[in-house]
Amino acid sequence: MEMFIDPHIHVVSRTTDDYEAMRKAGIVAIIEPAFWLGQPRTEVGSFKDYFSTLVGWERFRAKQFGIVHYCTMGLNSKEANNVPLAEEVMELLPLYVGKEGVVAIGEIGYDDQTEAEDRFYRLQLELAKEVNLPVLIHTPHRDKKKGTYRSMDVSEEHGLPPSMVIVDHNNEETVKEVLDRGYWAAFTIYPHTKMGSERMAEIVKHYGPERIIVDSAADWGISDPLAVPKTAALMRKMGIPEEHIRMTCYQNALTAYSQSGQMDEMDWLKPEPIDQRERQFGNSVLRGGQTPRVEGSDIVEN
């Protein structure tokens, strides 16, 4: 089966049906960036519980459906504007960035490009340097070109090599500069608001596959957790070479994030058998009466 990585998806907001569909479509590994939850958090404890979910329950839940789950840790740009709370989160982050499965600091950067966003973006770039992790940059939806260029300028001010930085949510306006400066250029296939699959295919045709990454950023909004395999299928239909599809929908994400030392292809090429009888903190992905899937057993139906 063709293999895909979705290197930006917020699966804490997705269902087990999504996990099953993703695995059937060939998605073998995912990366879940820490981000906001649709409304502002008001207490540092809610960040602590959320970060714990990313390295705990969600990693376990993905495994029950044959997908390897990684995550990134960071204070998102939206909530950086609550300065007293952001300062508390910055004290919390060092406790999580070294956890198993954490492959980058992110997603960080700019939203409204405020002074507070700049302050906490810079602090997290320094944290990434300290722990030798890649950085995942969130580029703003408003004034994207200015925000994207500023994100790279500030990263360079802090001495991060572009090869350790993934710039996400690119479009036709930003891609050339990002690639010319040596960064990884990630693209979000998100209905109506970011990139569509057709536009993504045209970018790969024009620029080639080097350092280009396709992701879904599927979350609690109208989004598609199968955006990566669907885009790959469209690329194939449009005559894009198989190797270019493999690089943009699998290999480039693996190369970029394996720099963390936490992501290894063997994690899914030689996985542990699925056993849905397992529990995490006493909890199961199953509910009463459901039959667990156990690989290597006659118990296979849910």
Side-chain angles (χ1 to χ4, degrees), residues 205-262:
K205 275 188 173 183
H206 183 78
Y207 291 98
E210 297 293 333
R211 286 182 283 112
I212 287 179
I213 295 172
V214 178
D215 63 58
S216 73
D219 55 13
W220 31 257
I222 298 172
S223 49
D224 188 354
L226 302 182
V228 175
K230 286 180 179 179
T231 300
L234 181 64
M235 287 185 187
R236 186 170 295 112
K237 186 177 180 180
M238 294 176 64
I240 291 174
E242 288 296 324
E243 179 61 13
H244 293 194
I245 297 171
R246 190 186 73 83
M247 289 177 68
T248 56
C249 297
Y250 178 82
Q251 186 60 52
N252 288 347
L254 174 58
T255 302
Y257 287 103
S258 65
Q259 295 178 102
S260 65
Q262 287 284 339

Side-chain angles (χ1 to χ4, degrees), residues 255-272:
T255 302
Y257 287 103
S258 65
Q259 295 178 102
S260 65
Q262 287 284 339
M263 189 176 191
D264 190 312
E265 197 172 32
M266 287 298 109
D267 293 346
W268 55 87
L269 293 183
K270 293 187 177 180
E272 296 179 13

Side-chain angles (χ1 to χ4, degrees), residues 68-79:
V68 184
H69 178 285
Y70 307 93
C71 68
T72 74
M73 283 289 164
L75 168 65
N76 68 84
S77 52
K78 262 187 178 297
E79 290 176 295

Side-chain angles (χ1 to χ4, degrees), residues 29-206:
I30 56 176
I31 299 172
E32 179 160 14
F35 197 52
W36 74 307
L37 300 179
Q39 69 178 38
R41 281 165 281 209
T42 58
E43 303 287 343
V44 71
S46 58
F47 278 92
K48 180 179 179 180
D49 290 340
Y50 172 64
F51 293 158
S52 296
T53 295
L54 296 185
V55 296
W57 173 253
E58 209 54 52
R59 189 163 165 84
F60 167 79
R61 191 166 74 110
K63 179 185 173 186
Q64 299 308 295
F65 298 93
I67 295 175
V68 184
H69 178 285
Y70 307 93
C71 68
T72 74
M73 283 289 164
L75 168 65
N76 68 84
S77 52
K78 262 187 178 297
E79 290 176 295
N81 289 294
N82 181 341
V83 172
L85 180 57
E87 289 174 340
E88 292 185 83
V89 175
M90 287 304 304
E91 294 180 4
L92 185 65
L93 275 174
L95 303 178
Y96 284 90
V97 296
K99 298 282 189 182
E100 183 179 5
V102 177
V103 297
I105 302 298
E107 53 186 297
I108 62 175
Y110 297 108
D111 183 46
D112 287 325
Q113 302 186 53
T114 65
E115 182 179 337
E117 291 170 15
D118 185 69
R119 173 189 170 191
F120 291 107
Y121 174 47
R122 291 174 182 273
L123 286 172
Q124 290 180 94
L125 292 176
E126 287 299 316
L127 177 60
K129 287 171 57 180
E130 180 182 331
V131 297
N132 195 31
L133 282 177
V135 169
L136 171 62
I137 289 178
H138 165 90
T139 55
H141 305 303
R142 298 170 296 279
D143 206 354
K144 179 173 286 291
K145 184 176 181 179
K146 176 184 175 184
T148 301
Y149 289 16
R150 183 180 180 186
S151 298
M152 294 187 291
D153 291 343
V154 171
S155 177
E156 288 163 21
E157 282 181 35
H158 285 262
L160 277 83
S163 61
M164 287 288 282
V165 180
I166 301 94
V167 179
D168 208 350
H169 311 319
N170 280 282
N171 60 20
E172 293 89 345
E173 186 179 40
T174 61
V175 56
K176 186 177 186 302
E177 181 75 7
V178 172
L179 290 174
D180 285 351
R181 292 171 70 164
Y183 292 83
W184 298 93
F187 293 81
T188 295
I189 312 303
Y190 199 103
H192 312 303
T193 62
K194 297 185 177 77
M195 290 291 295
S197 296
E198 295 84 1
R199 289 167 60 196
M200 186 70 247
E202 291 297 334
I203 284 174
V204 174
K205 275 188 173 183
H206 183 78

Side-chain angles (χ1 to χ4, degrees), residues 16-17 20 65 276-277 279 284-294 299-302:
T16 53
D17 288 347
E20 289 181 326
F65 298 93
Q276 292 181 345
R277 297 170 300 185
R279 292 176 178 268
S284 167
V285 296
L286 305 177
R287 292 298 177 263
Q290 294 176 322
T291 303
R293 177 184 176 189
V294 181
I299 305 174
V300 293
E301 297 295 332
N302 279 320

